[in-house]
Amino acid sequence: MCLWSCWFNKHETKPLTVKAKARSYRTAGSIGLLLQSIVPVLLFSEGSYDKVIETSIRLVGGTDVDFAPTLDFYLNVFKVYLTRMLGSRDHTVISPVLNRRGYFPAGGGAVTLDIYRNNGASVIPGFTFVEHGNLRQIGVSVYVSQGVFKSRAKQCYNTALETVRTEFPRIEIKEEFNVISDKSQCFRDGYNILVTALTDTGYILAQNAVGGKGTDPEAMARDAVIRLQDDVRAEACVDSQMQDQLIIFMFLAIGSSKIKTGSLTMHTKTAIHICNLFDDEVKFEIREVTCSEKDSTPRQNSKPKSFIIECSGRQGFYRGDG
């Protein structure tokens, strides 16, 4: 709510003053979702043109939990899009570091986030992510603690590779199976998978899943690959986990922005609704577009849906004097 309060008077927008502190969920609450909430605040916090602004925050909680993007998603996908949005003009460096994994339900993971800015509050120019291009590579990455879940993680890994070879024939596969041998790098036992699709236009689509005591490793692997396939068939430039995270940046950007997605999630629809409540002069438009289905795969039970989300953006942003 702090971020939204700075926009409440839309005719006199000013950056925030933020004091960095360590934050802990004391549970397996998703660090990825917390980062999604605080990064916009930190980017638009108060600063000056002639000073380097450094913010460092340590977060403790769940790095790999159900129903949320994992830290691997944040590091390999979200950070890429954020860097692409900011470009080189803003001189902002965002450096998240995974210090220790924390699996559901114990949590205990630790992440350090450092943000460096040398020209006051960040400015995001309008951005366009609509050229899907051609599928170039599929990635399958599994991390597992040195403990009781190693065999299940291997099942998950092998099933994912088998499913990828079936659903994405003739596409290069990048394979990673990582055992966390240092116990200090993982609070409790667990495993997770991240499957990614890289296009020749530089977009990364991804889906993740987290395994535990009652999880079927083969089912979670197949589900992650099929969800990724849905994004690829829709010729999306933004996957179903990333689309809602970009709405706030489209809203805050100077000038219009446009992204191409698959079917809209409820999170995305809610984010757009909230943005409209705080400033109805910033307009969102959603329209369905036709897919060429050039990345069609053997599973074609339904025709994919693609959507363009367009936002008019803001006309200006106040930079403080420090």
Side-chain angles (χ1 to χ4, degrees), residues 91-112:
H91 307 291
T92 298
V93 177
I94 298 176
S95 179
V97 177
L98 176 57
N99 307 121
R100 182 179 63 243
R101 286 187 183 271
Y103 287 101
F104 181 85
V111 174
T112 302

Side-chain angles (χ1 to χ4, degrees), residues 138 140 155-169 173 193 195 217-227 229 297-299:
I138 297 293
V140 176
Q155 280 183 276
C156 173
Y157 178 68
N158 290 334
T159 301
L161 290 176
E162 180 183 341
T163 309
V164 165
R165 293 186 183 108
T166 300
E167 303 295 341
F168 299 98
I173 304 175
I193 183 171
V195 288
E218 296 182 355
M220 68 176 265
R222 281 191 292 267
D223 179 67
V225 174
I226 294 306
R227 283 187 281 122
Q229 186 206 51
T297 60
R299 188 182 66 89

Side-chain angles (χ1 to χ4, degrees), residues 4-15 251 278-282 314-319:
W4 295 117
S5 67
C6 79
W7 294 108
F8 187 76
N9 184 345
K10 59 190 178 185
H11 300 296
E12 189 180 351
T13 302
K14 294 185 178 182
F251 176 74
F278 282 95
D279 191 347
D280 57 7
E281 292 180 10
V282 177
R314 308 188 66 82
Q315 301 307 308
F317 182 78
Y318 173 88
R319 285 180 182 264

